[in-house]
Amino acid sequence: MIRPSLSALAACLALSSPVLAQKLPPERVFADPGLNGPTAKGVALSPDGKRVTYLKAKAEAANVQDLWAADVAGGEPYRLIDSAALSSGDKELSEAEKARRERARVSSRGIVEYSWDSQGRFILVPLDGDLYLDSVADGTVSRLTQTPGDEVDAKVSPKGGFVSYVRDQNLYLKPITGGDERALTTDGKDTLSFGVAEFIAQEELDRATGYWWSPDERLIAYTRVDESGVDVVPRADIGPGGATVINQRYPRAGRPNAVVDLFVQDLATGKSVQVDLGADKDIYVARVDWSADGKTLYVQRLSRDQKTLDLIAFDPATGQGRTILKETDAHFIEVADDFHPLKDGSFLRSSEASGFNHLYRYAADGKLIAQLTKGDWPVGSVEGVDQKRQVVIFGASIDTPLERRLYEVSFRKPGAPKALTPAGGWWTAKVAPNGAFAGSYSDPKTPPQTALYAPDGKRVRWIEENRLAEGHPYWPYAATLTTPEFGALKAADGEILHYSMLKPSDFDPSKKYPAIVSVYGGPHAQRVSKTWQSAGERTYVEAGYIVFKLDNRGSANRSAKFKRALDRRLGTVEVEDQLVGAAYLKTLPYVDADKLGVMGWSYGGFMTLMMLTADNSPFKAGAAGAPPTEWSLYDTAYTERYMGKPEENKDGYARSDILNRLDKLKPGSLLLLHGMADDNVIFENSTRVMAALQKKAIPFEMALYPGERHSVGGSKPKGLSVLRTHLEFFGRKLKGQ
């Protein structure tokens, strides 16, 4: 998925009081300890409900995480596992694990994931390619694996009998109490893999796994992925020590995808049964789930054009199934993680069929029982289900797209959603089976906070209060903390476009300021919300810029119509909306209309190029990071969802090709940035622009990052370099420095 990833970065002295009104220098943004304060990630509740576990960065190394816990009964949180005690952290990860982490946008080291067994006896911790097991009873940590290959996608089986994992393209399991590992597949090599999520599933369908345990622990469903038909795209992985050519299997728009088959193995007999997904192999296995009793395997099969989604119920003993629900859309269907089987055989799922994303309950045969939510607002995500109280807990922006609260609604007797959390900012949650939840909240004045809440929303205890007070890493700069102003504009068709504007702390309305539009603009993203703001963006404000963001049509958390406005025409309507925002900026008496800049990464880089080359572009300068510049160079699922195949939409592809617009680029107005080992938006996207500009003798600037993939800036030096490069560029172009 094309995602924003421009990061900014780190290091200087921090004084103890904000009274001195210190400005935030770029060097401090990624320094240790992290400016956001002690935040809880990967929160989980133990099966017995007595403990909350979470990942927390080391104070002395913000990019290295340990496993922490807090007892529900009270007391200070404590560290369960120190990653440094198990690993030096300098192990070179395999190419497969590097790619997997890139797909998940994981830049941290140390402990980046973990899982409980269902009885609450053990915590499984993958660390630097090996597996460790924490015994809850006595706190001892034992090493489960020590192999040359990396064990990835490790899971504890539902009843806690086994640990399963993928290594060297095959699926294994190992008794959790000791014993030899067992290979469930042995044919994985070269272009054939078992139990893995292929590139497209990870990057574009948000499916990170390729195998699924049945609830009774008797069966495992797993994928067989054949990439032999996928084009080989030689990618020069250019690092500081030279270049390595990696022959990456990259499915570009209109070209073949990997062929994914699905099998179910009986662990007692070792017999595998192939699941009949149909004669058409050119499909996506979007989601796989087991029924609560383990007797049905549900598969969501998505057509290649992503306009048809079939929910198929399979008999795992025979591999035969029947379609119990079919959804079609004239534009495209986006797969969600809101499918939840219930103990009585019915299930919950979401759909945008009404015009907004809402929740529905279906019988086991696919017959609609009830629509659970309705209204001119979308359900954001299902956070959990309390089957005892027969309610589903979800996040939604009912009152305004700028905020998200947690709600519950009965799936037995649906009514108006009941708010569990107050308004004012943005909430997410991890819900336990008993309805208690670990809720996380932030707003423009509140760094991310996490607490444990009772099912009725009453706070039980803090997990990480993270209060912005003396001692907090942000405290020395709190006195000059500015919060965004929010507003709305109208698009050409009357749609409401929300924006935010961040002004310098010493803002003087009688002066004129240069302004920078920070853009993403692509489908799936929402950037204007009442959340804690990026410290990196604050450095632009400290440098004397106004920072403006606008959510154009196509952005998330709105109606289906709003999101589908980009269908088959990327680079048009979303650019028009951003130009509406730029036109508004030029009307403001305190904005210097001749000194507008624009910056963005990934899809935001594409948008930056489109906005710089718009007719009568209002922008004097723009920084485009890792931009897709011709959509046939990007991957199948994302590109075809919004643009169709190249041969089906030739005009649309030509219209969005940056090379066809470069004559309108103002000389010297572009800064082009790209990681030289990018495996997502391949480096070719930028080199073709470089060559075309040089052929036209149009001067431009560039900053290239050896060894960096798509998410440039994950490391402190590179991140600081990215930020400083932007500030220096805009300083010259917009402020004459």
Side-chain angles (χ1 to χ4, degrees), residues 269-290:
T269 66
K271 179 183 178 182
S272 290
V273 174
Q274 184 168 0
V275 174
D276 185 5
L277 295 174
D280 184 4
K281 295 292 187 180
D282 197 12
I283 51 93
Y284 297 108
V285 178
R287 295 289 184 274
V288 178
D289 295 276
W290 287 94

Side-chain angles (χ1 to χ4, degrees), residues 290-423:
W290 287 94
S291 61
D293 61 9
K295 295 180 180 179
T296 302
L297 183 69
Y298 293 107
V299 178
Q300 295 184 54
R301 182 182 64 194
L302 184 65
S303 61
R304 172 73 182 252
D305 65 8
Q306 299 176 71
K307 296 181 180 182
T308 302
L309 180 70
D310 295 313
L311 177 61
I312 310 172
F314 287 98
D315 179 350
T318 66
Q320 298 303 304
R322 59 192 181 91
T323 300
I324 60 173
L325 193 151
K326 181 185 289 286
E327 185 172 355
T328 61
D329 190 277
H331 301 280
F332 51 81
I333 294 172
E334 293 180 324
V335 183
D337 288 324
D338 293 342
F339 182 88
H340 287 264
L342 302 177
K343 292 179 180 179
D344 65 359
S346 63
F347 58 87
L348 309 176
R349 71 181 297 269
S350 66
S351 171
E352 291 185 310
S354 70
F356 288 87
N357 193 50
H358 282 296
L359 297 176
Y360 300 81
R361 181 173 172 232
Y362 296 85
D365 62 1
K367 182 180 179 180
L368 178 64
I369 297 175
Q371 181 174 346
L372 306 185
T373 62
K374 59 184 66 177
D376 292 342
W377 50 269
V379 169
S381 61
V382 171
E383 306 286 6
V385 177
D386 183 344
Q387 300 210 42
K388 184 176 181 180
R389 294 192 301 124
Q390 300 181 336
V391 298
V392 55
I393 297 94
F394 62 94
S397 303
I398 294 179
D399 301 319
T400 168
L402 304 183
E403 301 176 8
R404 176 166 293 181
R405 301 170 71 180
L406 300 179
Y407 296 85
E408 70 174 36
V409 66
S410 170
F411 57 74
R412 282 290 180 186
K413 297 180 180 179
K418 173 187 174 183
L420 299 176
T421 57

Side-chain angles (χ1 to χ4, degrees), residues 597-659:
V598 57
M599 64 180 180
W601 201 272
S602 197
Y603 200 104
F606 166 72
M607 288 289 289
T608 297
L609 290 170
M610 296 297 287
M611 292 159 71
L612 286 173
T613 56
D615 290 334
N616 301 313
S617 173
F619 297 101
K620 187 173 183 180
T629 64
E630 205 277 290
W631 285 107
S632 67
L633 298 178
Y634 198 60
D635 70 44
T636 52
Y638 185 92
T639 308
E640 293 172 13
R641 182 186 307 150
Y642 306 116
M643 290 287 282
K645 294 181 178 179
E647 64 270 21
E648 300 167 348
N649 185 17
K650 293 181 180 179
D651 290 344
Y653 275 80
R655 186 171 53 241
S656 58
D657 187 341
I658 299 300
L659 264 58

Side-chain angles (χ1 to χ4, degrees), residues 574-605:
E574 75 272 44
V575 177
E576 295 167 8
D577 289 351
Q578 291 293 337
L579 293 175
V580 169
Y584 168 70
L585 279 175
K586 294 179 69 174
T587 68
L588 300 176
Y590 47 80
V591 170
D592 190 332
D594 295 325
K595 295 180 179 179
L596 297 187
V598 57
M599 64 180 180
W601 201 272
S602 197
Y603 200 104

Side-chain angles (χ1 to χ4, degrees), residues 612 619-623 665-671 699-701 729 733:
L612 286 173
F619 297 101
K620 187 173 183 180
L665 183 70
K666 299 170 186 174
S669 64
L670 172 64
L671 168 64
F700 67 101
E701 300 180 28
F729 173 73
K733 298 298 181 179

